[in-house]
Amino acid sequence: WDSNLFDGSKPGTPGNCGFGMFGIAYFSSFVLVAFLVMINMYIAVILDNFSEAQQADEIGIDEDDINIFYEKWMLFDPKASQFLNVSKLRDLVLALQPPLGIPDVTEDDILHLDIPLYPTDRAHCIDVLQALISRTLGPENPNTSEEFDMIKELMAESFRAAFPTLAAEVVETTTKQRLREIRAAIVLQKAFRRFKNYKRNEAIEGIQQTRTGSPESGHPKV
C-alpha cells in the first residue's frame, strides 16, 4: 500500500488520481483508524469477554446453570404455574447439580434458604433461584454486595413485568421464619409435656401421701 500512498500523494495531472496532501491525509487516517482504533476495539472486546468468563468461573454460576434450573423446575411444575409447594423444594434442589444443587439436602437446609412463601405455602421460581444463588455466593463472597442486590432486584422487577400474576401475590412468611415457628412449637410442646408430667407426678405423690398418711403425724388419714 506504500506505492498507492506514493501515487495518491502526487499532484493531480491528467491521467492519474493524485490529490497531493489529501492523499497523505487519507492514508494516514486509514492507518490510524484501521491499525490503532479498530484493533484496540477488537482487543477490548476480547478482554471484556475474557473478564466476564473469568468472573463467571470465580462465582461458579453461569447462564447454563440457570437454564438447567428452569428445565428442572418445569419437571416439577408442568402446568407452568411458577409456584411450587414448599414440600417439593427439597426434591427440586436434589435434582439440581452443583453449584445450585445441594447434595444430601435436608428439609432444614431448605428452610434456612429464607425463601418467601405465598398463601398455601407456595414458593415462586424466581425467589427460589435467588435464594440458591445467594447461598452459592455466600456472605463472605465479595460479589454478594449492593451491586448483587441491585441485580437481584432488577431481575425480580423484569420477572414481575413478564409475569404480572406475581405482583398480585402477597408474601405471607419465609422459610426461615417458618423454621423459627417450627422450633418454637417444638420447645412449647416439650415444655407442655414436662409440665403435664410434673403435674401428674405431683398428683400421684399426693394420692400416695393420702393413702399412707402424713409422714409428720405418723397416723393414717381418715
Side-chain angles (χ1 to χ4, degrees):
W1 67 271
D2 55 344
S3 61
N4 292 331
L5 172 61
F6 179 75
D7 294 337
S9 61
K10 291 180 179 179
T13 57
N16 64 44
C17 57
F19 291 97
M21 296 301 296
F22 179 77
I24 296 176
Y26 170 77
F27 281 100
S28 299
S29 62
F30 176 80
V31 171
L32 290 175
V33 173
F35 289 92
L36 298 181
V37 177
M38 296 300 296
I39 291 178
N40 285 335
M41 287 179 61
Y42 284 127
I43 294 174
V45 171
I46 293 173
L47 291 177
D48 185 61
N49 291 333
F50 177 77
S51 177
E52 291 180 357
Q54 185 178 13
Q55 185 176 9
D57 290 338
E58 292 176 355
I59 294 175
I61 300 174
D62 54 23
E63 188 175 354
D64 292 336
D65 296 320
I66 297 176
N67 290 334
I68 292 174
F69 170 83
Y70 285 125
E71 291 176 2
K72 296 298 183 181
W73 181 277
M74 287 190 295
L75 298 177
F76 291 87
D77 184 24
K79 296 183 179 179
S81 65
Q82 309 159 32
F83 290 93
L84 277 183
N85 190 277
V86 67
S87 61
K88 297 182 179 180
L89 295 182
R90 178 176 177 271
D91 295 333
L92 170 67
V93 176
L94 282 174
L96 296 172
Q97 296 295 325
L100 294 180
I102 307 175
D104 301 325
V105 63
T106 64
E107 292 291 346
D108 282 354
D109 294 332
I110 297 297
L111 296 179
H112 272 295
L113 293 176
D114 200 19
I115 302 171
L117 293 180
Y118 298 86
T120 65
D121 287 347
R122 296 174 302 150
H124 197 270
C125 61
I126 192 65
D127 296 326
V128 177
L129 177 59
Q130 289 180 352
L132 292 175
I133 292 176
S134 299
R135 174 198 168 275
T136 302
L137 296 179
E140 72 282 354
N141 194 303
N143 294 289
T144 54
S145 59
E146 295 181 359
E147 295 181 358
F148 178 69
D149 294 336
M150 187 180 301
I151 292 173
K152 289 198 302 181
E153 184 62 28
L154 291 175
M155 184 170 59
E157 289 180 0
S158 62
F159 204 90
R160 293 188 187 98
F163 299 94
T165 56
L166 180 61
E169 298 286 346
V170 178
V171 176
E172 285 190 340
T173 184
T174 64
T175 54
K176 186 172 286 188
Q177 180 63 29
R178 181 62 52 82
L179 179 61
R180 296 191 187 102
E181 293 171 357
I182 293 174
R183 289 178 174 175
I186 293 174
V187 171
L188 289 175
Q189 288 176 355
K190 289 181 177 179
F192 182 69
R193 291 194 187 100
R194 286 196 299 267
F195 176 76
K196 286 185 64 177
N197 291 333
Y198 170 76
K199 298 298 290 185
R200 182 176 59 187
N201 293 335
E202 189 179 51
I204 293 174
E205 290 177 0
I207 294 173
Q208 291 176 348
Q209 289 179 2
T210 302
R211 291 177 177 177
T212 59
S214 174
E216 297 164 351
S217 61
H219 298 283
K221 293 183 179 181
V222 180

